[in-house]
């Protein structure tokens, strides 16, 4: 199985990449723009694994995303790349719209065009909203952005 992970150089994404690579038949391509949230050192220990590949590009770059989907062929996409710091979103919302909305659309369209059958979007309460004291989010939970 070949999985595309976006935002794999971040805290959560790097743990996900490492977990996926603990499975012997999984290959991971990590699409990460290496912004303020990413850190190459997070995956230094697996950077030479032949089943791991880092693509340095933004999910908002349609040309780069298309090239990656065209050349690598994925079985699944696990989309974690996002702008998520509330204070930054209040100071300037455009980077959040570009990455969280337009970047997600670029990925969804590429996955559709290349017939990727699994697409998992992982995000924070800034996208999904607050859950409350009990319960679980599901595939049918509404999006409820906060900031």
């Amino acid at each position: 199985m070949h999985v595309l992970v976006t935002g794999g150089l971040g805290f959560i994404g790097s743990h996900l990449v490492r977990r996926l690579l603990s499975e012997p038949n999984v290959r991971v391509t990590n699409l990460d723009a290496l912004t303020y949230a990413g850190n190459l050192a997070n995956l230094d220990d697996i950077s030479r694994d032949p089943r791991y590949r880092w693509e340095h590009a933004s999910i908002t770059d349609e040309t780069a995303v298309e090239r990656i989907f065209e050349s690598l062929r994925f079985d699944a996409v696990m989309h974690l790349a996002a702008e998520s710091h509330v204070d930054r979103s209040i100071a300037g919302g455009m980077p959040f719209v570009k990455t969280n909305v337009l970047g997600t659309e670029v990925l969804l369209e590429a996955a559709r065009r290349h017939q990727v059958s699994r697409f998992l979007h992982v995000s924070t309460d800034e996208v999904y909203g607050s859950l409350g004291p009990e319960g679980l989010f599901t595939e049918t939970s509404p999006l409820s952005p906060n900031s």
Side-chain angles (χ1 to χ4, degrees), residues 15-36:
H15 287 279
L16 174 62
V17 167
R18 203 173 284 104
R19 171 64 182 92
L20 288 168
L21 289 173
S22 74
E23 299 294 329
N25 296 321
V26 174
R27 292 180 298 139
V28 175
T29 296
N30 174 14
L31 173 58
D32 197 301
L34 195 58
T35 62
Y36 65 90

Side-chain angles (χ1 to χ4, degrees), residues 104-124:
T104 299
E105 172 63 12
V106 167
L107 290 170
L108 285 167
E109 282 300 314
R112 183 187 59 76
R113 275 193 310 277
H114 294 278
Q115 300 176 342
V116 178
S117 60
R118 297 177 183 170
F119 191 104
L120 175 67
H121 183 203
V122 178
S123 198
T124 68

Side-chain angles (χ1 to χ4, degrees), residues 121-130 137 141-146:
H121 183 203
V122 178
S123 198
T124 68
D125 64 339
E126 292 306 312
V127 170
Y128 287 101
S130 297
F137 285 111
S141 296
L143 299 180
S144 182
N146 291 313

Side-chain angles (χ1 to χ4, degrees), residues 6 31-35 55-66 68 81 83 98-99 103 106-107:
T6 68
L31 173 58
D32 197 301
L34 195 58
T35 62
E55 289 285 339
H56 187 192
S58 171
I59 62 171
T60 64
D61 182 341
E62 292 179 63
T63 302
V65 169
E66 180 60 25
I68 292 164
E83 300 286 341
K98 285 181 179 175
T99 300
V106 167
L107 290 170

Side-chain angles (χ1 to χ4, degrees), residues 30-81:
N30 174 14
L31 173 58
D32 197 301
L34 195 58
T35 62
Y36 65 90
N39 184 343
L40 281 171
N42 286 346
L43 290 177
D44 191 50
D45 60 318
I46 58 99
S47 65
R48 289 173 185 74
D49 186 320
R51 297 172 303 131
Y52 173 75
R53 174 186 187 118
W54 172 44
E55 289 285 339
H56 187 192
S58 171
I59 62 171
T60 64
D61 182 341
E62 292 179 63
T63 302
V65 169
E66 180 60 25
R67 174 187 53 79
I68 292 164
F69 271 80
E70 180 69 30
S71 65
L72 297 174
R73 304 291 179 185
F74 302 107
D75 300 297
V77 174
M78 300 181 84
H79 173 36
L80 285 75

